[in-house]
Amino acid sequence: MILLVGATGFLGSAVVERFASRNPVALARPTSDTSVLPPEIEIRQGNLAQPLPLDSIDTLVYCASMGFGHVPALITQLEQSNVKRALFVSTTAIFTTLPSTSRQIRRAAEDAVTNSTLEWSILRPTMIYGTERDRNISRLLRFLKRWPVFPLCGNALWQPIHVDDLADAVVASLDSPHTTGRIYNVAGGEPLRFADLIRTAARALQRRVLLVPVPVSAAVLAAQLTRVVTTEQIRRLAEDKAFPYTDAARDFGFNPRAFAQGVRLEARRLGLVSER
Ligand SMILES: NC(=O)c1ccc[n+]([C@@H]2O[C@H](COP(=O)([O-])OP(=O)(O)OC[C@H]3O[C@@H](n4cnc5c(N)ncnc54)[C@H](OP(=O)(O)O)[C@@H]3O)[C@@H](O)[C@H]2O)c1
């Protein structure tokens, strides 16, 4: 039986739908919004800060953050249980060269997985988008719907992944015989410069946008003064975030959609353009 950790999250709720026919168990906290889960799914209460309820579980799919420090203790528990197969969703943010508070914790979490006796696989996605639950492109689309001008801070490469492509990748990589003991970067169809990403999002809304370049140093100063965003977030804007996914394509047929297609779908889903 499969236990889905993070099933109520943005990615997890897309993943749980895809496993629905296999009678999975969803982990939920007392505070979790379980209305996002399919009604027929078995729910077990639990918290990553404590040992998980693993009765009859042989497979774990982990869609919660690996950056909170719970993974090493979880691996110890899994190794003493009947769980054999485990798939973890990490992040390409692990590659940042900037000072990051969570990077060490995420690295230690990946190390605990890769040094374990489990049949493990790790997926590292880029920024995930695709529904009103994302915390990035939905905000960008709503901004562009209201304003014809956008401050362009840096012009780095981006390669966001659509949540449905990532959820499909979770299932395909779990089922593939080639993925055990391997780590895969997974990203959107192609990298694009930040300016192109903004213009593509505006086109999805049938809008034009004027990009006004803002030096990264000025944006960092504004972040320090206003505290609306962190300086780490601003500096990350200027860092390239493009990742080839040839290993994932070879081993489990990963074939993500282009951003232009994904952002058009999201604009329609958010009701920002009429259905045609
Ligand atoms: N979102 C992105 O752009 C992005 C980019 C790259 C990588 N990732 C990675 O992708 C994965 C999924 O991201 P997401 O955006 O879907 O996350 P999310 O929406 O924040 O969902 C997190 C899930 O983890 C659960 N959770 C958190 N703390 C828990 C705890 N102590 N015990 C049990 N469950 C707990 C949450 O439960 P509740 O419902 O109770 O809160 C929720 O189901 C994460 O590993 C994240 O690091 C995300």
Side-chain angles (χ1 to χ4, degrees):
M1 200 183 255
I2 301 173
L3 179 68
L4 297 170
V5 175
T8 50
F10 166 44
L11 169 64
S13 54
V15 168
V16 78
E17 275 174 26
R18 287 160 170 78
F19 282 115
S21 62
R22 301 195 206 179
N23 300 323
V25 175
L27 186 80
R29 298 189 278 189
T31 50
S32 300
D33 176 7
T34 53
S35 69
V36 300
L37 300 173
E40 68 278 12
I41 296 287
E42 178 185 336
I43 296 170
R44 280 192 203 171
Q45 296 287 333
N47 190 314
L48 285 163
Q50 287 138 21
L52 296 190
L54 296 179
D55 270 5
S56 311
I57 301 297
D58 56 26
T59 302
L60 182 99
V61 174
Y62 185 99
C63 298
S65 172
M66 294 177 78
F68 293 143
H70 302 308
V71 173
L74 172 61
I75 293 295
T76 305
Q77 189 200 358
L78 295 175
E79 287 182 323
Q80 292 163 1
S81 74
N82 290 324
V83 173
K84 296 277 171 289
R85 180 83 170 107
L87 183 131
F88 289 82
V89 177
S90 178
T91 170
T92 53
I94 211 157
F95 293 116
T96 183
T97 55
L98 299 168
S100 153
T101 40
S102 65
R103 189 181 48 193
Q104 289 312 108
I105 301 173
R106 291 182 193 280
R107 284 258 172 225
E110 284 199 358
D111 288 347
V113 174
T114 58
N115 291 327
S116 75
T117 55
L118 300 166
E119 291 171 16
W120 59 266
S121 306
I122 297 176
L123 298 184
R124 290 183 183 137
T126 52
M127 184 176 91
I128 311 166
Y129 74 101
T131 77
E132 55 291 338
R133 291 190 73 185
D134 74 37
R135 293 173 286 266
N136 40 63
I137 300 299
S138 59
R139 292 179 188 174
L140 173 66
L141 286 168
R142 289 200 169 98
F143 183 94
L144 293 172
K145 183 77 182 175
R146 287 188 69 184
W147 305 102
V149 178
F150 190 88
L152 186 72
C153 182
N155 198 12
L157 289 169
W158 291 60
Q159 201 169 351
I161 182 169
H162 194 278
V163 64
D164 285 341
D165 292 333
L166 179 55
D168 287 343
V170 168
V171 179
S173 60
L174 188 76
D175 289 345
S176 164
H178 307 297
T179 57
T180 303
R182 301 200 60 137
I183 304 181
Y184 298 91
N185 296 333
V186 283
E190 75 295 299
L192 63 176
R193 294 264 161 217
F194 193 38
D196 294 327
L197 181 141
I198 306 297
R199 288 192 196 102
T200 306
R203 267 200 302 279
L205 297 165
Q206 295 143 24
R207 295 277 163 123
R208 282 171 179 272
V209 60
L210 177 67
L211 299 174
V212 180
V214 177
V216 175
S217 53
V220 166
L221 184 63
Q224 282 165 344
L225 293 175
T226 63
R227 299 189 179 185
V228 173
V229 289
T230 65
T231 54
E232 186 183 323
Q233 284 169 329
I234 295 289
R235 292 202 172 96
R236 276 276 290 155
L237 277 178
E239 195 177 44
D240 281 340
K241 293 170 283 290
F243 296 90
Y245 49 81
T246 34
D247 291 353
R250 179 197 63 221
D251 286 357
F252 55 92
F254 181 62
N255 182 23
R257 74 198 73 195
F259 180 69
Q261 189 193 351
V263 77
R264 271 200 308 273
L265 281 175
E266 179 160 358
R268 282 209 294 274
R269 183 176 172 128
L270 298 182
L272 299 176
V273 286
S274 52
E275 304 273 343
R276 275 177 303 154

